[in-house]
Amino acid sequence: MNLSVNIAGVELKNPVVTASGTFGFGHEYNEFYDLSELGGIAVKGLTLKPRLGNPPPRIAETPMGILNSVGLQNPGIEKFIEEEIPFLRKFDTKIIANISGSTVEDYIAIAEIAGNSDVDLLELNISCPNVKAGGMAFGTCPKSVEDLVKKVRAVVNRPLIVKLSPNVTDITEIARAAESSGADALSLINTLLGMRIDIKTRRPILKNNMGGMSGRAVFPIAVRMINQVYRAVKLPLIGMGGVATGNDAIEMMLAGASAVAVGTACFTDPMAPVKVRDGIVDYLKANNIDDVNDLVGQVILHD
Amino acid sequence: MAITEICTIIALKQLSPTHFDMILDAPKLSEMAKPGQFVSILCGHSRTLRRPISICDALEGTLRLVFEVRGEGTEYLSKRKVGDTLDVLGTLGCGTFPILDDDRPVLLIGGGIGAPPLLYTAKAQKAAHAVLGFRNEAAIVLKNDFYNACETLMIATDDGSFGAKGTIEAPARLLLSKNKYSAILACGPKPMLKAAQSLAEEFGIPCWLSMEERMGCGIGACLVCACKTKDENGEEKFSHVCKDGPVFPAEYMVW
Ligand SMILES: Cc1cc2nc3c(=O)[nH]c(=O)nc-3n(C[C@H](O)[C@H](O)[C@H](O)COP(=O)(O)OP(=O)(O)OC[C@H]3O[C@@H](n4cnc5c(N)ncnc54)[C@H](O)[C@@H]3O)c2cc1C
Ligand SMILES: Cc1cc2nc3c(=O)[nH]c(=O)nc-3n(C[C@H](O)[C@H](O)[C@H](O)COP(=O)(O)O)c2cc1C
Ligand code: FES
């Protein structure tokens, strides 16, 4: 049985990666299982300079999901290169550096540094709803996506994934803009902007007032968007948004994802990514499928 | 180091209209437990987030948890039956209460649901005195346990229905002026922690505070449970309650 998938020329030993920001740099979950079990690890979103992040509370529970407003707290790209890459390289898994900026210049600068470091893939986050400047602002208009992706493409030779925001009217427009500007792969979806209010205090639960929604509740939205994007572009897709079981992963692959990322599900069950992988294997066995790639995009739409 | 253990409930008792006392069969977690640490419990299939609850005691393969019903998750826990199992992640927190090798007792200051972790902490010390604050008489929990674990116990209630009326400050000050303590260890609402910190400063003794924050992963990966601290050089940053805490040296807190 073949579990390996190819994303922009990089072979992942299985189609399960972690979703940026839910997995830190892997140290904590490595206490639960060997990180080599995973196809890849998308690390916490990195910026040029260290970022403190937003004030707490940074999380609120929602029906079958959560809102977060972490705001890209991270030690900065240099420290990541010095301290975290050597750690992650001890494992037989691919490193996906998730990078963000608040200006085009920022994005170019961090992309250049990250592109010259020992990572396997770059994931350009143009979809973070939790930072005031940049983030999602870049990812919601095709023109600015084109401009940014072109400039970043020009300075990196590593495979470039562009991470899309679901907070748009037509995600295929954005996907096409990323494809025509030189993206090698797309990942989707980032979190959906949401809000929760404490009815006793009449205050939003998040100190940031709003935050990004993720977890099982967003799964059908993610599946829909992945299928729309799959039909609009030729690039390989990393699907994410509410994946918690092997069957979820299969569904997302049928919609068009070549690989899936597991994020919020780790909070419920630290073993979630490994269980998702095992669930994929079970499905393949039960259905006599030899190659996981045979699933990709195989949904049969109604006329 | 954290693990998940499927634990059977071996006792569940109601302590007050809203407080519950739960004993779990937890051979692995009870071995790992340190004073000030907590566990994080899955509350049914419909809730994404686990609920953090402090370790109130760890004895002979069991964990004792004392919790107040605040919302859906803790209500779910309160409705379990003896023999049911819970998926428990633990033991969590690298910042724990120190166990002091000192002939002077520690002074424990706790309030409301901040009292439970201080019981395990009291038992680990050579000697402990405690001042506990509660809303009213009905909200008092663990009185007998603290009475047995501490040389001195004083209780204050906001409405004066039991013990001293008002906050813990006056009784704590009284004890601090009569006795010499090695440290103040505190867990409770923010105003109480601040009071504990300023009393410690006033009497010139070290102080540790246990912080609370909403959590995601519970193990240090998601950076959700931020709490502002400063380092030796006064530089401010966000530490994380689940991993760096929940107990922090008071001098590092930024309010
Ligand atoms: C380190 C630590 C130790 C704790 N120890 C105890 C204890 O020993 N006994 C006890 O009764 N309570 C304790 N708490 C508080 C307890 O975690 C909350 O009361 C509980 O999570 C509320 O869940 P709920 O579903 O009933 O409430 P809801 O309000 O419905 O919860 C919604 C969400 O907010 C979170 N949340 C709400 N209030 C708090 C809070 N005060 N702290 C952290 N998260 C919160 C919940 O975990 C959940 O994710 C502790 C909290 C922390 C951080
Ligand atoms: C706490 C938290 C932090 C996140 N941080 C980032 C980040 O730094 N960069 C990024 O591109 N996405 C970030 N995300 C989005 C996830 O990578 C993912 O796209 C989203 O959560 C949907 O997947 P899930 O439902 O499996 O979590 C974060 C999500 C969460 C819950
Ligand atoms: S809850 Fe994830 S870092 Fe503390």
Short mmCIF file of all heavy atoms in Angstrom, two decimals, chain A residues 21-24 28-29 32 56-62 65-70 206 214 263-270, chain B residues 4 38-43 47-53 89 92 212-226 240-243:
data_model
loop_
_atom_site.label_atom_id
_atom_site.label_comp_id
_atom_site.label_asym_id
_atom_site.label_seq_id
_atom_site.Cartn_x
_atom_site.Cartn_y
_atom_site.Cartn_z
N GLY A 21 0.53 26.44 14.08
CA GLY A 21 0.01 27.17 15.24
C GLY A 21 -0.65 26.29 16.28
O GLY A 21 -0.88 26.73 17.40
N THR A 22 -0.94 25.05 15.91
CA THR A 22 -1.57 24.16 16.89
C THR A 22 -0.55 23.18 17.46
O THR A 22 -0.85 22.44 18.39
CB THR A 22 -2.69 23.34 16.22
OG1 THR A 22 -2.13 22.58 15.15
CG2 THR A 22 -3.78 24.25 15.68
N PHE A 23 0.65 23.19 16.94
CA PHE A 23 1.61 22.14 17.21
C PHE A 23 2.96 22.69 17.66
O PHE A 23 3.91 21.94 17.85
CB PHE A 23 1.80 21.33 15.90
CG PHE A 23 2.22 19.91 16.08
CD1 PHE A 23 1.30 18.96 16.50
CD2 PHE A 23 3.51 19.51 15.79
CE1 PHE A 23 1.68 17.63 16.64
CE2 PHE A 23 3.90 18.19 15.94
CZ PHE A 23 2.98 17.25 16.36
N GLY A 24 3.03 24.01 17.86
CA GLY A 24 4.29 24.63 18.26
C GLY A 24 5.39 24.24 17.29
O GLY A 24 5.23 24.31 16.07
N GLU A 28 6.30 19.28 22.33
CA GLU A 28 5.32 18.78 23.29
C GLU A 28 4.69 17.48 22.79
O GLU A 28 4.58 16.50 23.54
CB GLU A 28 4.23 19.82 23.54
CG GLU A 28 4.73 21.08 24.25
CD GLU A 28 5.49 22.05 23.33
OE1 GLU A 28 5.35 21.93 22.09
OE2 GLU A 28 6.22 22.91 23.85
N TYR A 29 4.29 17.45 21.52
CA TYR A 29 3.62 16.25 21.01
C TYR A 29 4.60 15.11 20.81
O TYR A 29 4.21 13.94 20.78
CB TYR A 29 2.82 16.58 19.74
CG TYR A 29 1.59 17.39 20.09
CD1 TYR A 29 1.53 18.75 19.86
CD2 TYR A 29 0.50 16.77 20.71
CE1 TYR A 29 0.41 19.49 20.22
CE2 TYR A 29 -0.63 17.50 21.07
CZ TYR A 29 -0.67 18.86 20.83
OH TYR A 29 -1.77 19.59 21.20
N PHE A 32 4.28 12.36 23.11
CA PHE A 32 3.19 11.40 22.93
C PHE A 32 3.48 10.38 21.84
O PHE A 32 3.00 9.28 21.87
CB PHE A 32 1.89 12.14 22.62
CG PHE A 32 1.35 12.90 23.79
CD1 PHE A 32 1.79 14.19 24.06
CD2 PHE A 32 0.43 12.31 24.65
CE1 PHE A 32 1.31 14.89 25.16
CE2 PHE A 32 -0.06 13.00 25.74
CZ PHE A 32 0.38 14.30 26.01
N PRO A 56 -4.40 37.92 26.61
CA PRO A 56 -5.39 36.88 26.88
C PRO A 56 -6.71 37.46 27.38
O PRO A 56 -6.70 38.61 27.82
CB PRO A 56 -4.71 36.04 27.96
CG PRO A 56 -3.82 37.00 28.69
CD PRO A 56 -3.39 38.02 27.67
N PRO A 57 -7.79 36.73 27.39
CA PRO A 57 -7.96 35.38 26.85
C PRO A 57 -7.83 35.32 25.33
O PRO A 57 -8.28 36.20 24.62
CB PRO A 57 -9.39 34.99 27.27
CG PRO A 57 -9.79 35.93 28.35
CD PRO A 57 -9.01 37.18 28.12
N ARG A 58 -7.20 34.21 24.90
CA ARG A 58 -6.94 34.00 23.48
C ARG A 58 -7.75 32.86 22.91
O ARG A 58 -7.53 32.46 21.76
CB ARG A 58 -5.46 33.66 23.28
CG ARG A 58 -4.49 34.79 23.58
CD ARG A 58 -3.05 34.27 23.44
NE ARG A 58 -2.08 35.35 23.54
CZ ARG A 58 -0.77 35.16 23.39
NH1 ARG A 58 -0.30 33.95 23.14
NH2 ARG A 58 0.06 36.18 23.48
N ILE A 59 -8.65 32.29 23.70
CA ILE A 59 -9.42 31.16 23.18
C ILE A 59 -10.82 31.16 23.75
O ILE A 59 -11.03 31.59 24.90
CB ILE A 59 -8.70 29.81 23.49
CG1 ILE A 59 -9.31 28.66 22.68
CG2 ILE A 59 -8.71 29.50 24.97
CD1 ILE A 59 -8.46 27.39 22.65
N ALA A 60 -11.77 30.74 22.94
CA ALA A 60 -13.15 30.56 23.39
C ALA A 60 -13.66 29.30 22.73
O ALA A 60 -13.32 29.03 21.57
CB ALA A 60 -14.00 31.75 22.99
N GLU A 61 -14.46 28.54 23.47
CA GLU A 61 -15.03 27.35 22.86
C GLU A 61 -16.29 27.72 22.09
O GLU A 61 -16.99 28.67 22.46
CB GLU A 61 -15.34 26.30 23.94
CG GLU A 61 -15.46 24.91 23.37
CD GLU A 61 -15.67 23.86 24.45
OE1 GLU A 61 -16.49 24.09 25.36
OE2 GLU A 61 -15.04 22.81 24.38
N THR A 62 -16.57 26.99 21.02
CA THR A 62 -17.79 27.18 20.23
C THR A 62 -18.38 25.79 20.02
O THR A 62 -17.70 24.80 20.29
CB THR A 62 -17.46 27.81 18.86
OG1 THR A 62 -16.69 26.87 18.10
CG2 THR A 62 -16.66 29.10 19.00
N GLY A 65 -16.13 23.44 18.14
CA GLY A 65 -14.96 24.16 17.64
C GLY A 65 -14.44 25.16 18.64
O GLY A 65 -14.78 25.11 19.83
N ILE A 66 -13.59 26.04 18.17
CA ILE A 66 -13.00 27.08 19.02
C ILE A 66 -12.78 28.35 18.21
O ILE A 66 -12.78 28.33 16.97
CB ILE A 66 -11.62 26.65 19.59
CG1 ILE A 66 -10.62 26.33 18.46
CG2 ILE A 66 -11.75 25.47 20.51
CD1 ILE A 66 -9.18 26.18 18.93
N LEU A 67 -12.59 29.44 18.95
CA LEU A 67 -12.06 30.66 18.35
C LEU A 67 -10.70 30.88 19.00
O LEU A 67 -10.55 30.67 20.20
CB LEU A 67 -12.92 31.87 18.72
CG LEU A 67 -14.37 31.92 18.28
CD1 LEU A 67 -15.01 33.20 18.82
CD2 LEU A 67 -14.46 31.87 16.77
N ASN A 68 -9.71 31.34 18.21
CA ASN A 68 -8.44 31.71 18.84
C ASN A 68 -8.02 33.08 18.35
O ASN A 68 -8.36 33.50 17.26
CB ASN A 68 -7.35 30.66 18.58
CG ASN A 68 -6.54 30.98 17.33
OD1 ASN A 68 -5.60 31.78 17.37
ND2 ASN A 68 -6.92 30.39 16.20
N SER A 69 -7.26 33.75 19.22
CA SER A 69 -6.70 35.05 18.84
C SER A 69 -5.28 35.15 19.38
O SER A 69 -4.92 36.09 20.07
CB SER A 69 -7.56 36.19 19.40
OG SER A 69 -7.64 36.10 20.81
N VAL A 70 -4.48 34.13 19.06
CA VAL A 70 -3.10 34.10 19.56
C VAL A 70 -2.31 35.29 19.00
O VAL A 70 -1.55 35.93 19.72
CB VAL A 70 -2.41 32.76 19.20
CG1 VAL A 70 -0.92 32.82 19.52
CG2 VAL A 70 -3.07 31.62 19.95
N LEU A 206 -12.96 36.76 23.94
CA LEU A 206 -11.59 37.04 23.52
C LEU A 206 -11.25 38.50 23.79
O LEU A 206 -12.03 39.39 23.47
CB LEU A 206 -11.42 36.76 22.02
CG LEU A 206 -11.68 35.33 21.57
CD1 LEU A 206 -11.59 35.25 20.05
CD2 LEU A 206 -10.68 34.38 22.21
N SER A 214 -11.99 27.43 14.22
CA SER A 214 -11.45 26.18 13.68
C SER A 214 -12.12 25.02 14.40
O SER A 214 -12.94 25.22 15.28
CB SER A 214 -9.94 26.14 13.90
OG SER A 214 -9.65 26.17 15.29
N GLY A 263 -5.19 20.06 13.12
CA GLY A 263 -4.87 21.16 14.02
C GLY A 263 -5.61 21.06 15.33
O GLY A 263 -5.17 20.36 16.27
N THR A 264 -6.75 21.71 15.40
CA THR A 264 -7.52 21.80 16.64
C THR A 264 -7.80 20.43 17.27
O THR A 264 -7.88 20.33 18.50
CB THR A 264 -8.84 22.56 16.34
OG1 THR A 264 -8.49 23.83 15.79
CG2 THR A 264 -9.67 22.75 17.60
N ALA A 265 -7.93 19.40 16.43
CA ALA A 265 -8.22 18.07 16.97
C ALA A 265 -7.16 17.61 17.97
O ALA A 265 -7.45 16.81 18.87
CB ALA A 265 -8.35 17.06 15.84
N CYS A 266 -5.93 18.14 17.85
CA CYS A 266 -4.86 17.78 18.79
C CYS A 266 -5.19 18.22 20.21
O CYS A 266 -4.69 17.63 21.17
CB CYS A 266 -3.54 18.41 18.39
SG CYS A 266 -2.93 17.92 16.78
N PHE A 267 -5.99 19.29 20.35
CA PHE A 267 -6.30 19.78 21.70
C PHE A 267 -7.23 18.79 22.41
O PHE A 267 -7.15 18.61 23.62
CB PHE A 267 -6.98 21.16 21.63
CG PHE A 267 -6.17 22.22 20.93
CD1 PHE A 267 -6.73 23.45 20.65
CD2 PHE A 267 -4.85 22.00 20.57
CE1 PHE A 267 -6.00 24.45 20.00
CE2 PHE A 267 -4.11 22.99 19.92
CZ PHE A 267 -4.69 24.21 19.64
N THR A 268 -8.13 18.19 21.62
CA THR A 268 -9.04 17.21 22.19
C THR A 268 -8.29 15.91 22.48
O THR A 268 -8.44 15.32 23.53
CB THR A 268 -10.20 16.93 21.20
OG1 THR A 268 -10.65 18.18 20.67
CG2 THR A 268 -11.34 16.22 21.89
N ASP A 269 -7.48 15.50 21.50
CA ASP A 269 -6.74 14.24 21.63
C ASP A 269 -5.34 14.44 21.08
O ASP A 269 -5.16 14.60 19.87
CB ASP A 269 -7.47 13.14 20.85
CG ASP A 269 -6.75 11.80 20.94
OD1 ASP A 269 -5.67 11.73 21.57
OD2 ASP A 269 -7.26 10.83 20.37
N PRO A 270 -4.33 14.43 21.94
CA PRO A 270 -2.96 14.66 21.46
C PRO A 270 -2.54 13.67 20.38
O PRO A 270 -1.65 13.96 19.59
CB PRO A 270 -2.10 14.48 22.73
CG PRO A 270 -3.03 14.50 23.88
CD PRO A 270 -4.41 14.20 23.37
N THR B 4 -2.06 10.61 28.55
CA THR B 4 -3.51 10.55 28.79
C THR B 4 -3.78 9.21 29.46
O THR B 4 -3.19 8.19 29.11
CB THR B 4 -4.33 10.64 27.49
OG1 THR B 4 -3.81 9.71 26.56
CG2 THR B 4 -4.28 12.03 26.90
N PHE B 38 -1.89 20.33 37.48
CA PHE B 38 -3.29 20.11 37.17
C PHE B 38 -3.42 19.02 36.11
O PHE B 38 -2.42 18.57 35.56
CB PHE B 38 -3.97 21.41 36.72
CG PHE B 38 -3.41 22.00 35.45
CD1 PHE B 38 -4.09 21.83 34.25
CD2 PHE B 38 -2.21 22.72 35.44
CE1 PHE B 38 -3.59 22.37 33.06
CE2 PHE B 38 -1.71 23.24 34.25
CZ PHE B 38 -2.39 23.07 33.07
N VAL B 39 -4.67 18.61 35.88
CA VAL B 39 -4.96 17.68 34.80
C VAL B 39 -5.98 18.36 33.89
O VAL B 39 -6.57 19.38 34.26
CB VAL B 39 -5.52 16.34 35.31
CG1 VAL B 39 -4.46 15.59 36.10
CG2 VAL B 39 -6.79 16.54 36.14
N SER B 40 -6.19 17.83 32.70
CA SER B 40 -7.15 18.43 31.79
C SER B 40 -8.06 17.32 31.27
O SER B 40 -7.58 16.33 30.74
CB SER B 40 -6.40 19.15 30.67
OG SER B 40 -7.22 20.15 30.12
N ILE B 41 -9.36 17.51 31.47
CA ILE B 41 -10.30 16.39 31.31
C ILE B 41 -11.23 16.62 30.14
O ILE B 41 -11.83 17.69 29.99
CB ILE B 41 -11.14 16.23 32.60
CG1 ILE B 41 -10.23 16.18 33.82
CG2 ILE B 41 -12.00 14.99 32.52
CD1 ILE B 41 -10.96 16.12 35.12
N LEU B 42 -11.37 15.58 29.34
CA LEU B 42 -12.32 15.61 28.23
C LEU B 42 -13.72 15.49 28.82
O LEU B 42 -13.98 14.61 29.64
CB LEU B 42 -12.02 14.39 27.33
CG LEU B 42 -12.29 14.50 25.86
CD1 LEU B 42 -11.59 15.70 25.24
CD2 LEU B 42 -11.82 13.22 25.17
N CYS B 43 -14.61 16.40 28.41
CA CYS B 43 -15.96 16.42 28.99
C CYS B 43 -16.99 16.04 27.94
O CYS B 43 -17.78 16.86 27.47
CB CYS B 43 -16.27 17.80 29.58
SG CYS B 43 -15.18 18.27 30.92
N ARG B 47 -17.58 18.43 23.23
CA ARG B 47 -16.75 19.59 23.59
C ARG B 47 -15.32 19.41 23.09
O ARG B 47 -14.67 18.42 23.37
CB ARG B 47 -16.78 19.82 25.10
CG ARG B 47 -18.12 20.37 25.52
CD ARG B 47 -18.33 20.43 27.02
NE ARG B 47 -19.76 20.46 27.26
CZ ARG B 47 -20.53 19.38 27.40
NH1 ARG B 47 -19.98 18.18 27.38
NH2 ARG B 47 -21.82 19.50 27.55
N THR B 48 -14.85 20.41 22.37
CA THR B 48 -13.53 20.35 21.76
C THR B 48 -12.43 20.46 22.81
O THR B 48 -11.40 19.80 22.73
CB THR B 48 -13.38 21.52 20.76
OG1 THR B 48 -14.45 21.42 19.82
CG2 THR B 48 -12.05 21.47 20.03
N LEU B 49 -12.67 21.34 23.80
CA LEU B 49 -11.60 21.64 24.76
C LEU B 49 -11.75 20.84 26.05
O LEU B 49 -12.86 20.68 26.58
CB LEU B 49 -11.60 23.13 25.08
CG LEU B 49 -11.33 24.06 23.90
CD1 LEU B 49 -11.46 25.52 24.32
CD2 LEU B 49 -9.94 23.80 23.32
N ARG B 50 -10.63 20.38 26.54
CA ARG B 50 -10.58 19.75 27.85
C ARG B 50 -10.71 20.81 28.92
O ARG B 50 -10.41 21.97 28.67
CB ARG B 50 -9.24 19.02 28.01
CG ARG B 50 -9.09 17.83 27.12
CD ARG B 50 -7.66 17.33 27.03
NE ARG B 50 -7.61 16.13 26.20
CZ ARG B 50 -7.72 14.89 26.66
NH1 ARG B 50 -7.83 14.66 27.96
NH2 ARG B 50 -7.71 13.86 25.84
N ARG B 51 -11.10 20.44 30.12
CA ARG B 51 -11.21 21.39 31.24
C ARG B 51 -10.07 21.19 32.21
O ARG B 51 -9.88 20.07 32.71
CB ARG B 51 -12.53 21.20 31.96
CG ARG B 51 -13.77 21.94 31.44
CD ARG B 51 -13.84 22.18 30.00
NE ARG B 51 -15.08 22.85 29.60
CZ ARG B 51 -15.43 23.04 28.34
NH1 ARG B 51 -14.66 22.61 27.36
NH2 ARG B 51 -16.55 23.66 28.03
N PRO B 52 -9.32 22.26 32.49
CA PRO B 52 -8.22 22.14 33.46
C PRO B 52 -8.74 22.13 34.90
O PRO B 52 -9.53 23.00 35.28
CB PRO B 52 -7.37 23.40 33.20
CG PRO B 52 -8.27 24.36 32.49
CD PRO B 52 -9.37 23.59 31.85
N ILE B 53 -8.33 21.14 35.67
CA ILE B 53 -8.71 21.04 37.09
C ILE B 53 -7.44 20.69 37.88
O ILE B 53 -6.69 19.79 37.50
CB ILE B 53 -9.78 19.95 37.32
CG1 ILE B 53 -11.05 20.20 36.48
CG2 ILE B 53 -10.12 19.82 38.81
CD1 ILE B 53 -11.91 21.37 36.92
N LEU B 89 -5.85 14.10 30.76
CA LEU B 89 -4.51 14.46 30.27
C LEU B 89 -3.73 15.05 31.45
O LEU B 89 -4.23 15.95 32.13
CB LEU B 89 -4.66 15.48 29.15
CG LEU B 89 -3.42 16.19 28.60
CD1 LEU B 89 -2.50 15.20 27.88
CD2 LEU B 89 -3.83 17.30 27.65
N LEU B 92 0.01 18.17 34.34
CA LEU B 92 0.40 19.34 33.57
C LEU B 92 0.97 20.45 34.45
O LEU B 92 0.56 20.63 35.60
CB LEU B 92 -0.81 19.85 32.79
CG LEU B 92 -1.49 18.80 31.90
CD1 LEU B 92 -2.75 19.35 31.26
CD2 LEU B 92 -0.53 18.29 30.83
N GLU B 212 -4.44 31.36 36.50
CA GLU B 212 -5.48 30.67 35.74
C GLU B 212 -5.61 31.35 34.38
O GLU B 212 -5.56 32.57 34.31
CB GLU B 212 -6.80 30.85 36.48
CG GLU B 212 -7.61 29.59 36.62
CD GLU B 212 -8.90 29.83 37.38
OE1 GLU B 212 -9.73 30.61 36.90
OE2 GLU B 212 -9.05 29.25 38.46
N GLU B 213 -5.76 30.58 33.33
CA GLU B 213 -6.05 31.18 32.03
C GLU B 213 -6.75 30.15 31.17
O GLU B 213 -6.59 28.95 31.38
CB GLU B 213 -4.75 31.67 31.36
CG GLU B 213 -4.93 32.60 30.20
CD GLU B 213 -5.99 33.69 30.42
OE1 GLU B 213 -5.73 34.66 31.16
OE2 GLU B 213 -7.08 33.53 29.86
N ARG B 214 -7.55 30.61 30.23
CA ARG B 214 -8.22 29.70 29.31
C ARG B 214 -7.19 28.98 28.45
O ARG B 214 -6.23 29.60 28.00
CB ARG B 214 -9.20 30.46 28.42
CG ARG B 214 -10.42 30.87 29.18
CD ARG B 214 -11.38 31.64 28.30
NE ARG B 214 -12.49 32.08 29.12
CZ ARG B 214 -13.75 31.70 28.94
NH1 ARG B 214 -14.06 30.91 27.94
NH2 ARG B 214 -14.69 32.13 29.76
N MET B 215 -7.43 27.69 28.21
CA MET B 215 -6.42 26.86 27.56
C MET B 215 -6.91 26.17 26.30
O MET B 215 -8.10 25.92 26.15
CB MET B 215 -5.94 25.79 28.54
CG MET B 215 -5.25 26.40 29.73
SD MET B 215 -4.52 25.16 30.76
CE MET B 215 -3.68 26.26 31.91
N GLY B 216 -5.95 25.86 25.43
CA GLY B 216 -6.21 25.04 24.25
C GLY B 216 -5.63 23.66 24.46
O GLY B 216 -6.29 22.77 24.98
N CYS B 217 -4.34 23.51 24.12
CA CYS B 217 -3.72 22.19 24.16
C CYS B 217 -3.42 21.71 25.57
O CYS B 217 -3.41 20.51 25.84
CB CYS B 217 -2.43 22.21 23.34
SG CYS B 217 -1.13 23.25 24.07
N GLY B 218 -3.12 22.63 26.49
CA GLY B 218 -2.78 22.26 27.86
C GLY B 218 -1.34 21.80 28.05
O GLY B 218 -0.94 21.49 29.17
N ILE B 219 -0.55 21.73 26.97
CA ILE B 219 0.81 21.18 27.11
C ILE B 219 1.91 22.11 26.60
O ILE B 219 3.08 21.72 26.60
CB ILE B 219 0.93 19.80 26.42
CG1 ILE B 219 0.57 19.90 24.93
CG2 ILE B 219 0.03 18.77 27.11
CD1 ILE B 219 0.80 18.61 24.17
N GLY B 220 1.54 23.30 26.13
CA GLY B 220 2.60 24.24 25.73
C GLY B 220 2.79 24.41 24.24
O GLY B 220 3.74 25.08 23.81
N ALA B 221 1.91 23.83 23.42
CA ALA B 221 2.12 23.87 21.97
C ALA B 221 1.39 25.01 21.28
O ALA B 221 1.85 25.51 20.26
CB ALA B 221 1.71 22.54 21.35
N CYS B 222 0.24 25.42 21.80
CA CYS B 222 -0.61 26.33 21.02
C CYS B 222 -0.47 27.80 21.43
O CYS B 222 -0.96 28.68 20.74
CB CYS B 222 -2.06 25.89 21.11
SG CYS B 222 -2.85 26.21 22.72
N LEU B 223 0.18 28.05 22.55
CA LEU B 223 0.45 29.41 23.03
C LEU B 223 -0.83 30.20 23.34
O LEU B 223 -0.85 31.43 23.29
CB LEU B 223 1.32 30.18 22.03
CG LEU B 223 2.58 29.47 21.56
CD1 LEU B 223 3.41 30.40 20.70
CD2 LEU B 223 3.40 28.96 22.73
N VAL B 224 -1.88 29.50 23.67
CA VAL B 224 -3.16 30.14 23.93
C VAL B 224 -3.22 30.73 25.35
O VAL B 224 -3.76 31.81 25.56
CB VAL B 224 -4.31 29.13 23.68
CG1 VAL B 224 -5.50 29.43 24.55
CG2 VAL B 224 -4.70 29.13 22.21
N CYS B 225 -2.64 30.02 26.32
CA CYS B 225 -2.86 30.36 27.73
C CYS B 225 -1.86 31.41 28.23
O CYS B 225 -1.20 31.21 29.24
CB CYS B 225 -2.73 29.09 28.56
SG CYS B 225 -1.12 28.32 28.35
N ALA B 226 -1.77 32.52 27.50
CA ALA B 226 -0.73 33.50 27.79
C ALA B 226 -0.97 34.26 29.09
O ALA B 226 -2.10 34.55 29.46
CB ALA B 226 -0.66 34.49 26.64
N HIS B 240 3.39 30.99 29.43
CA HIS B 240 2.20 30.17 29.23
C HIS B 240 1.87 29.38 30.48
O HIS B 240 2.71 28.66 31.01
CB HIS B 240 2.38 29.32 27.98
CG HIS B 240 2.45 30.21 26.77
ND1 HIS B 240 3.64 30.64 26.22
CD2 HIS B 240 1.47 30.88 26.12
CE1 HIS B 240 3.38 31.50 25.25
NE2 HIS B 240 2.08 31.68 25.17
N VAL B 241 0.63 29.60 30.94
CA VAL B 241 0.20 29.05 32.23
C VAL B 241 0.32 27.53 32.24
O VAL B 241 0.75 26.95 33.23
CB VAL B 241 -1.24 29.49 32.55
CG1 VAL B 241 -1.78 28.77 33.77
CG2 VAL B 241 -1.29 31.01 32.76
N CYS B 242 0.01 26.87 31.11
CA CYS B 242 -0.03 25.40 31.14
C CYS B 242 1.35 24.79 31.25
O CYS B 242 1.50 23.70 31.78
CB CYS B 242 -0.76 24.86 29.93
SG CYS B 242 0.18 24.93 28.39
N LYS B 243 2.36 25.48 30.73
CA LYS B 243 3.69 24.87 30.70
C LYS B 243 4.65 25.57 31.66
O LYS B 243 5.27 24.93 32.50
CB LYS B 243 4.24 24.92 29.28
CG LYS B 243 5.47 24.06 29.13
CD LYS B 243 5.91 23.95 27.70
CE LYS B 243 6.98 22.87 27.56
NZ LYS B 243 7.49 22.81 26.20
#
